[in-house]
Amino acid sequence: MTVTQFKVQQEQARLAELTEQNRQQEQQAATLGRQIEKIQNQQVAVAAIEKIEAKPVPLSSKVILERSEYESLAVAAKKYVASEKKESKLQKALDAANKLIAKLKAEIDGLKQELSEHKSVRSKLRTSDLERENAELRGKVQRYENVIQRNNLWHFFRPHREKAALRDDAR
């Protein structure tokens, strides 16, 4: 396996991993979107609240509500505040997920570009010519080793031969 092939395999594995992360982030974004939609669709009993009428107190700027009307208005206000908090949290999470998705998509595009460059280099290599040349060179090496073996010359190829011995052989 050549270095280029190895790099291509590594980049393909990395691309697959990032694609999977991107898919998971998109699923999370869709889930958050559904949660936001659900919260938005939860309606407070607006009609019941609109029916509530304040009755003015004579000779005062104050108004009077019946206890049941007050309780339903208080419950509706609490639900509204809670749903606003949840919606803002979910919106922030959705925005963060969308940013991450955009970042991952950009990284995937970059990896695809890099992968295409590696593939183009691979196509430029003449693999059949290189394999043929490699086979020829191996054959030559084998022939040289056979000649060395037949003539019992391996002692000339020892790694730690002394220089003095070389001088003696030269004389």
Side-chain angles (χ1 to χ4, degrees), residues 20 31 42 72 87 90 99 116 127 144 151 157 163-164:
E20 178 62 23
T31 302
Q42 291 176 347
S72 66
E87 184 177 330
L90 290 174
K99 285 180 184 177
S116 68
T127 54
Y144 293 149
N151 295 314
F157 297 99
K163 291 183 180 180

Side-chain angles (χ1 to χ4, degrees), residues 99-162:
K99 285 180 184 177
L100 184 59
I101 287 170
K103 177 183 170 188
L104 289 174
K105 282 183 178 181
E107 191 170 345
I108 286 172
D109 290 339
L111 287 173
K112 284 181 181 178
Q113 178 67 27
E114 188 175 334
L115 184 62
S116 68
E117 290 172 8
H118 286 296
K119 285 183 178 179
S120 67
V121 167
R122 185 178 177 195
S123 66
K124 290 177 185 175
L125 293 175
R126 302 174 318 263
T127 54
S128 61
D129 293 341
L130 292 174
E131 288 173 3
R132 182 181 42 76
E133 184 180 354
N134 192 17
E136 289 174 9
L137 292 173
R138 286 178 195 260
K140 285 182 181 180
V141 167
Q142 184 64 37
R143 285 193 300 272
Y144 293 149
E145 287 176 349
N146 288 340
V147 168
I148 292 169
Q149 183 68 33
R150 266 186 278 140
N151 295 314
N152 196 20
L153 299 174
W154 280 114
H155 63 279
F156 287 113
F157 297 99
R158 282 185 295 184
H160 300 294
R161 229 173 97 206
E162 295 179 17

Side-chain angles (χ1 to χ4, degrees), residues 22-40:
N22 189 18
R23 186 188 61 77
Q24 290 174 356
Q25 292 296 329
E26 286 176 345
Q27 286 178 344
Q28 287 178 346
T31 302
L32 290 173
R34 285 192 296 273
Q35 288 176 348
I36 288 173
E37 216 172 279
K38 182 180 177 183
I39 289 172
Q40 288 174 342

